[in-house]
Amino acid sequence: MIQRIQTVYLTISVVACVLLFTFPMAKFISDVQGTYLLSVLGLKYLNMVDPPMFVNFRSTLPMLILNIASVIITVTAIMIYKKRRSQLLLVNISFLLNIILIALVYLFYIGYVEKLSKVPASYQFGIFLPLISLVMLVLANKAIRKDEALVRSADRLR
């Protein structure tokens, strides 16, 4: 299992998705409204006085669900290393979930908070983690297809 390169790629993808729980994706600093951190766990208001109405956990729930689903599916793909076709299907599903997550972050959430706070986003380390996960899933997909082609060619020789 671990000797296959796609397992390493999938493990890096899982680590990137798990690190997304700890690192914020964007910071919004305003003199008037205070400082906000956008992460998968929610939009956090860092100043202790009267947070605005749009700061809550439910606002980023789709990102949280997509990230948890991506982690679970990718770990499942690591565990079924003997079934390459099923592994390939799970990697493709996780790839799709990561694409949706990236689209949500870049197209909706950052623009939404910028519009409400009237402050441009300052990107943090967490913004790159879904991209790292996406690249690792593409590499794993390529390696699984290569393994499948190798097994098929060996079956033809018998």
Side-chain angles (χ1 to χ4, degrees):
M1 176 173 94
I2 194 67
Q3 68 271 16
R4 296 172 61 204
I5 191 67
Q6 58 262 34
T7 304
V8 175
Y9 293 147
L10 292 173
T11 304
I12 293 171
S13 176
V14 168
V15 168
C17 287
V18 169
L19 285 177
L20 196 55
F21 289 112
T22 60
F23 290 105
M25 289 187 256
K27 183 185 272 189
F28 304 89
I29 301 172
S30 171
D31 294 334
V32 177
Q33 292 182 342
T35 303
Y36 302 93
L37 281 178
L38 177 66
S39 71
V40 172
L41 298 176
L43 184 63
K44 295 185 179 99
Y45 186 66
L46 296 182
N47 301 2
M48 294 300 157
V49 294
D50 299 333
M53 291 300 291
F54 65 89
V55 177
N56 60 16
F57 170 74
R58 287 178 281 151
S59 62
T60 59
L61 191 59
M63 283 194 311
L64 179 66
I65 291 170
L66 286 171
N67 196 38
I68 290 172
S70 180
V71 168
I72 291 171
I73 290 171
T74 308
V75 167
T76 306
I78 291 172
M79 295 301 157
I80 60 168
Y81 61 94
K82 288 185 179 181
K83 300 176 184 174
R84 283 175 302 281
R85 290 182 192 259
S86 299
Q87 189 180 35
L88 189 61
L89 176 67
L90 289 178
V91 167
N92 288 336
I93 292 170
S94 185
F95 178 80
L96 179 66
L97 291 177
N98 271 319
I99 290 287
I100 295 170
L101 176 67
I102 290 169
L104 271 177
V105 170
Y106 284 107
L107 299 178
F108 179 71
Y109 284 108
I110 291 180
Y112 173 71
V113 177
E114 282 179 343
K115 188 173 78 172
L116 288 176
S117 66
K118 297 177 178 79
V119 176
S122 164
Y123 296 119
Q124 303 293 311
F125 178 68
I127 200 79
F128 302 110
L129 291 172
L131 298 173
I132 292 170
S133 177
L134 190 69
V135 168
M136 290 299 125
L137 288 171
V138 168
L139 292 173
N141 188 341
K142 184 178 175 183
I144 294 168
R145 288 184 189 277
K146 187 176 176 183
D147 271 2
E148 185 65 26
L150 182 66
V151 168
R152 282 187 190 161
S153 69
D155 285 345
R156 277 195 304 259
L157 293 176
R158 286 188 218 172

